[in-house]
Amino acid sequence: MSFAPGPSRWPDVWLATTARGVSTCGDFLAASTLTLALQSAGAGGLAVSGLLLAASLPLVALAPLTGRLADRVDSRVLLVGAGLAQAAVCLALAYAGHPALVIGLVALLAAGLAVTQPVLSALVPVMVRPADLPRASALHQTAGTLGALAGPALAGLLVGQFGARLPLLVDAASYLALVAAGLLIRTRRGGARSAGPATGGPAAPAAADATAGAGWRLRRDPLLSAMIVSLAGVIAAVGAINVVEVFFIRETLGSSTTMYGVVTGAWTLGILLGAWLFAPLARRLTDDGRLLGAGLALLGFCCLAVLASAAVPSALLLVPIWLLGGVANGGDNVLNNVLLARRVPEAARGRAYAIFGAASQGAAMAGFVAGGVLLELFDPRPLVAACGVAGTLVVAALAVPVARAARVGRAPVAAAGFTTPGAAR
């Protein structure tokens, strides 16, 4: 696997981290602003649902294309081009009025995100030594989480004070962070950097990795396949909670909008803590099979946290439960990122991260649809319990296949001639 050939390039890591944080804040700022704008304009639930789907569907539908772009085109070209395009789309959104036009522009904005996500994710492992990858992954995840926290809060403040146009103009400016990162980051991948002479000299390892990347297929690695299937399965089973939670907290538990923000923020804060708490574990676990098993255990803990939350009599008791659930969620995210970077040849990491993101987004969309339908038939509390039970059953059902994949999953890596994580250290 290709990592930084010398010392870790932390200035590049910080540039990529900052770009992800600022652009993620912009993504959530736009989504929250447009949702509020549509609701204030009298648009119905269909328009809001269309907005959410438009923001998610391109990440799933375009994954095969954007993953290959991330591997085959210079990362600087993609970051600069996509950043400028997203800024232009967001500028158009600031002056768009018709809901159909807004939804179409949001889909274009998400198409840009479908490009930049695998580019940034695949760049980080190239910037650092294998031993520093867990820390770099935690930094990258922290930036995204902080952006996700700041975006909705900033949208509420700006929309309330100035209307929808100003936050969208601010959002357009935020995408210029991607342009700046593309120009300033010295580490580059894709294009000619994914290939090299086939024999001899210092370029031989890179050429071998490029050759392996060209032939890489997810289905040939049972361990990575098990990781993605287990994550997508749990997200699909529990994903309805994202729709149900607002009704559970506000109506069933009779809490204020402030308490709703505190509860949902507790899970996000837990993700931050989990990323840093589990980064040392990811560094010590050099056996990929154990890393996969630890990730499944953390997913199971997330499901148990959701199940436990169905029994609380007040929203205040949800805060510690969801904080712990978020810690497990953040830890699993770090383990997944490290596992992908270890097992996928550098020349194919863009495709791998795009597939990973598409599986997560597609499963989440299934959960959104299920949550909306089930709320028409059942009360929120039993639905919260059902989400927890469903997720726990998925984890239990996957325990044996994951254990089997962990045993046989080492063979494809060794057969391909890649350096195993233990040997790299």
Side-chain angles (χ1 to χ4, degrees), residues 53 55-66 110 114 354-355 357-365:
L53 286 173
S56 303
L57 188 58
L59 296 172
V60 179
L62 297 178
L65 172 62
T66 57
I355 292 170
S360 302
Q361 289 290 334
M365 288 169 61

Side-chain angles (χ1 to χ4, degrees), residues 99-404:
L101 178 59
V102 169
I103 290 172
L105 289 171
V106 166
L108 288 176
L109 201 63
L113 182 62
V115 173
T116 58
Q117 272 191 346
V119 171
L120 285 173
S121 296
L123 266 175
V124 171
V126 190
M127 299 172 178
V128 296
R129 298 179 300 116
D132 291 330
L133 180 61
R135 180 188 171 198
S137 296
L139 279 172
H140 202 58
Q141 181 179 318
T142 297
T145 305
L146 290 175
L149 275 171
L154 188 59
L157 175 65
L158 293 178
V159 171
Q161 295 293 322
F162 305 103
R165 181 164 296 169
L166 180 62
L168 289 172
L169 292 174
V170 172
D171 184 28
S174 75
Y175 288 112
L176 297 180
L178 292 171
V179 178
L183 294 173
L184 295 175
I185 290 174
R186 297 178 63 186
T187 304
R188 294 163 72 176
R189 67 180 300 276
R193 291 161 186 80
S194 295
T199 59
D209 194 69
T211 302
W216 179 82
R217 296 293 183 272
L218 174 65
R219 63 180 178 271
R220 295 178 184 170
D221 190 329
L223 195 147
L224 281 184
S225 298
M227 182 196 78
I228 292 178
V229 168
S230 60
L231 179 65
V234 171
I235 291 175
V238 182
I241 192 68
N242 294 291
V243 179
V244 175
E245 64 181 356
V246 63
F247 299 96
F248 178 57
I249 296 170
R250 295 279 287 123
E251 297 179 4
T252 303
L253 300 180
S255 298
S256 65
T257 54
T258 301
M259 181 54 68
Y260 170 71
V262 170
V263 172
T264 54
W267 191 284
T268 309
L269 177 61
I271 291 175
L272 273 177
L273 296 174
W276 290 102
L277 287 173
F278 284 91
L281 175 65
R283 182 174 180 174
R284 289 195 299 269
L285 282 179
T286 57
D287 185 293
D288 289 350
R290 292 183 179 179
L291 206 62
L292 176 65
L296 186 66
L298 290 173
L299 287 176
F301 191 90
C302 291
C303 298
L304 291 175
V306 173
L307 179 59
S309 67
V312 301
S314 68
L316 187 61
L317 294 176
L318 281 177
V319 175
I321 295 173
W322 282 31
L323 180 67
L324 292 174
V327 168
N329 192 170
D332 180 63
N333 289 345
V334 169
L335 299 187
N336 290 340
N337 283 329
V338 171
L339 199 55
L340 273 173
R342 282 180 180 178
R343 296 187 66 86
V344 179
E346 196 281 324
R349 283 187 190 142
R351 274 185 289 153
Y353 281 108
I355 292 170
F356 182 67
S360 302
Q361 289 290 334
M365 288 169 61
F368 295 157
V369 173
V373 172
L374 291 172
L375 272 171
E376 299 295 321
L377 304 172
F378 302 99
D379 291 332
R381 189 183 293 274
L383 287 179
V384 173
C387 287
V389 170
T392 304
L393 290 175
V394 168
V395 171
L398 289 170
V400 173
V402 163
R404 186 182 300 116

